[in-house]
Amino acid sequence: MSGDAIVVGAGVNGLVAATYLARAGRKVLVLEAKDRLGGACQTTWFASSFRGPAIAHALTALDPRVVAELKLARRGLKFAVRDMPLVALRADGKHLTNGRDLRATARNIAVHSRADAETWPRFRRELFELARRMRPLWWSDGKSEIPSEIARLRRLSLAAWLDSRFESDAVKAALAGDAASLSPLAPGSSLLLLWRAAQEMCGLQGAAAIPLGGPGALVDALTAAAKIAGVEFRSGAHVSDIRVKDGAASGVVLDSGDEIPANVVLASFSRAGLLATKAGRTALGFSESVALERGVSPAASAKVMLALNAPPAFNGVAVPLRGRFLLADRLETFVAAHAASRAGRVPQELVLEVVVPTAGDPELAPLGQHVVSIRIGPLPRHVAGGWDAAKTPLAAKAVAALDRCASGLARHVVAAQVLTPDDIAARYGAEDSCAVTVERLLSDWSSRIRTPIKGLFLCSAASEPVDAVSGRAGRIAATLALREGAAK
Amino acid sequence: MRYDAAIIGAGAEGLAAAALLAGAGVKTIVVERSERAGGRATTREFHPGFRASPFADELPPIPADIHWALDLSRRGAIFRPAPTSTAIWPDRQSLLRARESGASSVHSFLRNAAERASDLRARATHDSNRAPQRSFFSRPAVPASWPCEDWMAASLAEVLAREIGDPDMEAHLAAAALRGWVADPFLPGSALHLLSLQRSGTVTGGLATLADALVSAAREAGAEISLGRDATDIRHAKGRVSGIGLADGSEIEARAVISTLDLKRTFLSFFQWNALPKEIVQAVGAFRMAGTTARVLFALDTVLPGAKRGAIYVAPDLEQLAAANSAWRSGTIAAHLPVALRVADDPSLAPAGSAVVTATFGAVPYRLFDGAWTREKRDALRKQALAALESAIPGASAHVVAAEVIAPPDIEEALGATDGDLAGGEIAADQMLSAGPWPDFPFPRSPFKGLYLAGSWLAMGATCAAGAAVARIVALDLAKGALK
């Protein structure tokens, strides 16, 4: 079997890229190493009669152009929750709900600090306005001008930025929850908050949404769109190397030894992942290889899924169950968690992001029962003694932390699934991520997607400014591949 | 009596500024709270017969042009480059010989770091030439890129791993870069601390000799040095300063006031808060400062012939530096503080047959989570220093006859440094150079007309450089008639 274009990896970006290429008239073959499509974006049965999001439990960055151009709504993508408010859970019951209604949010903030409540509407307006001006850089492949304020923000740590605007720990921690992939003390971590604010879901800036049927529904819609466009799939096909002829990609080699020729290869590798292939190592050259190998490794995360036989009831003030719940008291919690994960220890205080998928989509569990999806991170990628030994204590700690804010929750757990960073890497191949840096956040797309090998493009989440389910890397990689193909 | 320039603080920067200004014909007075000039460039007897410089063993280099302009050698300040430093682990040791052995990666790395520091200084000079045009209340100007933009976003560990590649040498260099300070070596941005890896130096006879030389230079040039007078406030009206008020109730009228104190001390103790615009109070309040340094001075009744000269880092380790940083952030004294020992190699400091050893700790918090700096807590520092001394020079701790502990609150009291912060602010990309609190008024200027800042924190790793820079700008502004 031969194809003009091969897409390695059927994650969201791979599917998006394949569909765009096929719609432009290319013959496209998608190779997936696992049996199931979707990568990190799947809905799985984790206990009998309970389904839940495998890894990503809320979508925050899906490119609206991908949704519109691939007609995903017509292929069955519907949203169960379109705009999840962020709820910072506090041990004292004074939870802080940060929603779209500025006045309601300001009233919530006023419980913690009157001054912050006054600052909030102005801060959010400025943040969203500046974030919109960053969209040309973060959404499109063209060269774009970076707004002048960025020169200041890239030097500013999130902690310094928030400290200069807000006084209450609750507000600062709630905002930091959206920028948790860097330590809040790192310069440029404020750009993460800006990146998050630049995203759009369901037409709402900075929203988070859950598809009806879980994140797997997005992959189903993308797969349907790809099949209609004529994309062919082959699963269980692990690519071991890229064939290169005269400095240009000429095909891929599978583990089985089969070779599949192609003019264009779009691979869901990160740049560091490219080093695992012989062709990549040769093409990148010595100095870049060394720089990549010695580069900073990103923090990992773990996932806990709970099946409950009763709805979770949070102590204290009423909170909407369809929100995203954040458990982290202060900015210092994030700082300490990042420091501990770098040192290879499980942090003393875990940072948890909790979603109750059944709040908007009751079909995922039997009637009256609920699914709670917990993301724990940052965590070290490896711990002393191995993750297998640390697995149960980690889950117990997370459930205990959640139980403090929703007493009785632990008693209602009827089944649970725990995925440590090791499990996530083994099952979903999400090993291949790349640390977020200021450089990555502010470089243009083509420098992250293009490779020294002509006709080889990288379209994994690592090619995005921040790892996220957006489909943008796939869309832009396909555009670049087509543009280069046309020039040939 | 009206002066052209009044300088608050007779430290190295203040004295250098006074000497240069007076030399340029500017009528100058220096006001110093303590009875002795010098600031941290001081040497005192801490035990009968034993002398040491309590706040630093070494000072960053004095740029050659300033050294010659002030004729410091003739005045007795013989600057000696600090000897090679050593790192000692219980089972091995590493010598920072790089400076001597030409070709190694360490050598080129150190040269690179020194070049970057001097590029940054050049950039600071360039920035300070930009005259303020806009008001403090306008939107901030954009800081253009810097010579050190890549280190701003990189971690210390990452840069060292890339450039050095030898774990022992990396730990050694990290300890040297963070000597007396604190930072998480794995946190992006901590690479900026590597800029401090330049060749510092000592002065024969102790750092006080330098202070004496600077005083003589300033007096000879015609500057008035007024010791034992405590400035309490900066007089100002309509956004421009007119002089300083003193504790004894008198007032010194001056067209320009130069504060060599840190940013917070300058604005929050010399001005009444409600008299300052809210934006300035906020910007100054948001400026991050924190004490990190503690010192222990030891008097020994024996000589230490075999001891290494230069700084001795005891068991440096990146993970341990990170752990010390976490402890420091939570207000505790880490179990293993990063420590640098130095055996004084100047025979004039100790009586014959005896020795002075100083220990410099980093990551020592100013505010402890469990209350004040009590005698027990100082004792804990002394014990850590003794243990370090014993592991570096076996048998030496038995000869200790006296020890003095200098904790961050002592530094604050003696030098007026806010929270005992000798660096004058956290070394971070967002509070350096033109990214500081008021981008439109590049240092040494401030939002007040006639008020200039010249603390050692603005010297960017060079002694007297901030004083020289402020002298140039003030002389220029006076000549332009901007301060009538």
Side-chain angles (χ1 to χ4, degrees):
Chain A
M1 193 182 349
S2 85
D4 275 335
I6 285 178
V7 175
V8 183
V12 168
N13 277 318
L15 291 169
V16 168
T19 314
Y20 275 104
L21 288 174
R23 281 164 40 132
R26 296 300 186 95
K27 192 155 172 268
V28 186
L29 173 65
V30 176
L31 301 171
E32 168 60 45
K34 311 279 175 199
D35 295 331
R36 291 189 58 181
L37 308 181
C41 203
Q42 297 185 15
T43 311
T44 55
W45 294 94
F46 69 95
S48 84
S49 65
F50 287 93
R51 279 188 302 153
I55 297 177
H57 53 201
L59 301 181
T60 58
L62 191 59
D63 192 340
R65 294 166 303 181
V66 170
V67 178
E69 286 163 10
L70 302 189
K71 301 192 175 67
L72 294 183
R74 204 184 292 173
R75 309 281 168 245
L77 179 67
K78 288 194 188 67
F79 286 93
V81 187
R82 304 172 68 85
D83 185 14
M84 311 165 76
L86 183 98
V87 183
L89 293 177
R90 316 281 307 169
D92 57 6
K94 290 182 191 162
H95 311 311
L96 175 62
T97 305
N98 175 359
R100 195 149 299 270
D101 183 344
L102 283 182
R103 288 209 192 129
T105 306
R107 271 199 304 279
N108 281 321
I109 293 176
V111 174
H112 298 275
S113 154
R114 202 164 283 279
D116 288 357
E118 267 171 42
T119 316
W120 174 250
R122 202 177 57 228
F123 178 79
R124 206 189 87 138
R125 205 166 42 242
E126 282 171 15
L127 177 71
F128 274 31
E129 197 258 338
L130 181 58
R132 280 196 298 276
R133 289 201 282 134
M134 289 298 284
R135 281 184 183 167
L137 175 73
W138 283 334
W139 284 22
S140 309
D141 61 325
K143 287 255 183 290
S144 45
E145 198 125 311
I146 297 178
S148 55
E149 289 91 331
I150 297 306
R152 193 168 173 78
L153 277 187
R154 64 178 294 175
R155 299 199 170 107
L156 200 62
S157 69
L158 185 67
W161 192 23
L162 296 182
D163 283 343
S164 71
R165 304 299 290 267
F166 298 104
E167 58 179 28
S168 86
D169 282 338
V171 178
K172 288 188 254 184
L175 284 166
D178 269 337
S181 42
L182 269 179
S183 165
L185 292 183
S189 46
S190 28
L191 289 175
L192 288 172
L193 191 61
L194 197 64
W195 180 86
R196 180 68 185 81
Q199 307 310 313
E200 179 181 305
M201 284 302 300
C202 305
L204 299 169
Q205 190 179 358
I210 303 185
L212 197 63
L218 169 65
V219 171
D220 293 344
L222 283 171
T223 313
K227 286 195 170 143
I228 287 168
V231 175
E232 282 180 61
F233 289 90
R234 196 200 284 187
S235 57
H238 187 263
V239 171
S240 59
D241 200 5
I242 315 272
R243 272 279 162 265
V244 179
K245 209 163 110 191
D246 305 332
S250 65
V252 298
V253 185
L254 300 184
D255 264 356
S256 57
D258 290 355
E259 284 193 27
I260 308 175
N263 300 328
V264 174
V265 178
L266 274 70
S268 308
F269 301 144
S270 71
R271 211 152 271 268
L274 195 59
L275 281 181
T277 65
K278 221 167 84 192
R281 196 167 262 281
T282 317
L284 284 177
F286 179 72
S287 59
E288 196 177 349
S289 304
V290 171
L292 284 171
E293 270 174 0
R294 288 186 180 173
V296 191
S297 53
S301 62
K303 190 73 201 298
V304 177
M305 302 275 281
L306 302 177
L308 300 185
N309 59 13
F314 292 99
N315 316 336
V317 299
V319 293
L321 204 55
R322 49 177 191 82
R324 280 187 305 142
F325 300 94
L326 176 76
L327 260 93
D329 273 354
R330 296 162 300 137
L331 276 180
E332 200 63 28
T333 313
F334 293 92
V335 173
H338 274 282
S341 1
R342 262 194 328 260
R345 288 191 309 270
V346 176
Q348 273 183 339
E349 258 181 280
L350 298 176
V351 175
L352 307 182
E353 191 194 56
V354 182
V355 164
V356 186
T358 40
D361 192 356
E363 304 259 303
L364 296 173
L367 195 64
Q369 310 202 13
H370 282 271
V371 172
V372 171
S373 164
I374 308 173
R375 185 183 166 278
I376 313 172
L379 286 178
R381 174 65 190 85
H382 303 283
V383 286
W387 269 116
D388 280 347
K391 187 172 187 164
T392 318
L394 177 75
K397 200 170 173 180
V399 172
L402 192 55
D403 191 66
R404 276 196 289 281
C405 296
S407 36
L409 178 132
R411 272 186 290 123
H412 294 294
V413 176
V414 292
Q417 183 198 43
V418 185
L419 296 178
T420 63
D422 276 350
D423 299 329
I424 292 178
R427 276 193 216 186
Y428 302 101
E431 172 101 62
D432 195 29
S433 63
C434 156
V436 178
T437 59
V438 177
E439 211 178 9
R440 179 176 163 196
L441 272 160
L442 294 179
S443 60
D444 54 37
W445 281 91
S446 71
S447 69
R448 294 189 300 258
I449 285 177
R450 277 179 215 275
T451 62
I453 302 172
K454 242 172 102 182
L456 173 68
F457 300 89
L458 302 180
C459 65
S460 73
S463 310
E464 313 247 356
V466 175
D467 294 35
V469 177
S470 81
R472 231 165 257 147
R475 181 176 182 271
I476 293 173
T479 317
L480 290 176
L482 289 169
R483 200 184 294 159
E484 249 161 53
K488 210 170 351 179
Chain B
M1 174 151 202
R2 190 155 188 225
Y3 291 89
D4 290 328
I7 300 173
I8 304 174
E13 309 300 330
L15 291 171
L20 293 168
L21 276 173
V26 175
K27 199 165 161 44
T28 309
I29 183 169
V30 185
V31 187
E32 166 64 45
R33 183 181 60 161
S34 117
E35 293 294 340
R36 246 197 85 75
R40 80 184 64 172
T42 178
T43 309
R44 66 172 160 82
E45 200 172 58
F46 67 99
H47 184 69
F50 292 85
R51 299 191 309 135
S53 303
F55 307 110
D57 298 315
E58 294 153 17
L59 287 178
I62 300 178
D65 52 334
I66 303 175
H67 196 274
W68 290 117
L70 300 181
D71 208 1
L72 294 180
S73 306
R74 186 174 61 80
R75 300 176 202 282
I78 311 294
F79 216 68
R80 290 183 304 149
T84 307
S85 68
T86 316
I88 292 185
W89 290 268
D91 51 343
R92 60 193 192 280
Q93 55 174 262
S94 122
L95 278 173
L96 194 49
R97 282 218 177 278
R99 301 185 215 263
E100 286 87 345
S101 73
S104 73
S105 62
V106 181
H107 180 77
S108 60
F109 177 72
L110 290 173
R111 204 174 47 198
N112 180 1
E115 262 166 30
R116 281 163 180 264
S118 88
D119 284 354
L120 266 187
R121 273 198 295 280
R123 176 54 197 273
T125 311
H126 174 83
D127 278 357
S128 66
N129 285 339
R130 196 159 50 91
Q133 284 163 353
R134 306 191 308 170
S135 100
F136 180 73
F137 306 99
S138 62
R139 282 177 86 84
V142 183
S145 68
W146 292 343
C148 216
E149 205 79 34
D150 53 338
W151 278 9
M152 199 188 77
S155 74
L156 211 153
E158 187 187 339
V159 169
L160 287 176
R162 200 169 52 222
E163 305 282 340
I164 308 294
D166 168 39
D168 281 358
M169 192 51 85
E170 284 165 24
H172 185 166
L173 282 171
L178 292 176
R179 175 182 182 181
W181 310 129
V182 66
D184 182 341
F186 298 99
L187 186 77
S190 54
L192 280 177
H193 284 272
L194 290 167
L195 291 171
S196 66
L197 281 179
Q198 333 174 40
R199 184 137 232 201
S200 52
T202 55
V203 183
T204 311
L207 298 180
T209 316
L210 174 65
D212 295 341
L214 285 167
V215 167
S216 117
R219 288 225 162 103
E220 201 168 286
E224 196 176 317
I225 298 174
S226 182
L227 298 172
R229 297 178 81 190
D230 194 1
T232 52
D233 64 303
I234 294 174
R235 301 282 155 87
H236 64 104
K238 293 183 194 151
R240 59 186 307 159
V241 302
S242 58
I244 50 183
L246 300 170
D248 55 19
S250 60
E251 189 178 341
I252 295 173
E253 263 186 83
R255 293 203 286 168
V257 172
I258 299 168
S259 168
T260 64
L261 298 172
D262 62 62
L263 188 72
K264 286 202 160 171
R265 180 83 36 180
T266 301
F267 280 93
L268 304 183
S269 71
F270 287 140
F271 291 92
Q272 282 175 333
W273 291 17
N274 50 15
L276 283 176
K278 199 168 132 237
E279 286 78 1
I280 292 184
V281 176
Q282 266 176 358
V284 172
F287 196 78
R288 302 185 299 283
M289 293 186 68
T292 57
T293 316
R295 304 244 306 159
V296 181
L297 316 176
F298 286 122
L300 277 74
D301 64 1
T302 176
V303 285
L304 303 166
K308 294 273 181 287
R309 298 163 73 241
I312 305 170
Y313 301 98
V314 182
D317 174 41
L318 286 174
E319 297 290 345
Q320 194 186 305
L321 286 169
N325 176 66
S326 306
W328 174 79
R329 287 188 66 80
S330 61
T332 48
I333 301 171
H336 295 283
L337 288 169
V339 59
L341 297 172
R342 202 168 189 298
V343 180
D345 48 1
D346 186 336
S348 68
L349 295 177
S354 46
V356 169
V357 178
T358 55
T360 308
F361 286 111
V364 181
Y366 171 80
R367 281 185 197 82
L368 295 168
F369 84 103
D370 53 353
W373 269 93
T374 57
R375 181 185 291 272
E376 292 75 44
K377 285 164 189 156
R378 284 167 205 269
D379 228 37
L381 283 184
R382 191 178 54 83
K383 279 187 190 134
Q384 280 210 31
L386 266 181
L389 176 63
E390 185 60 31
S391 60
I393 310 165
S397 61
H399 291 279
V400 171
V401 291
E404 179 179 330
V405 177
I406 298 158
D410 309 329
I411 295 176
E412 179 174 45
E413 203 191 314
L415 296 179
T418 303
D419 288 4
D421 187 345
L422 286 173
E426 186 190 316
I427 295 162
D430 64 308
Q431 37 187 33
M432 287 170 70
L433 291 179
S434 44
W438 29 79
D440 282 331
F441 298 89
F443 295 129
R445 290 188 174 89
S446 77
F448 280 95
K449 208 166 189 178
L451 175 63
Y452 299 83
L453 301 171
S456 57
W457 57 289
L458 290 170
M460 317 243 3
T463 306
C464 296
V470 82
R472 189 172 58 84
I473 298 289
V474 170
L476 221 77
D477 283 0
L478 283 168
K480 272 196 299 194
L483 302 172
K484 283 239 171 70

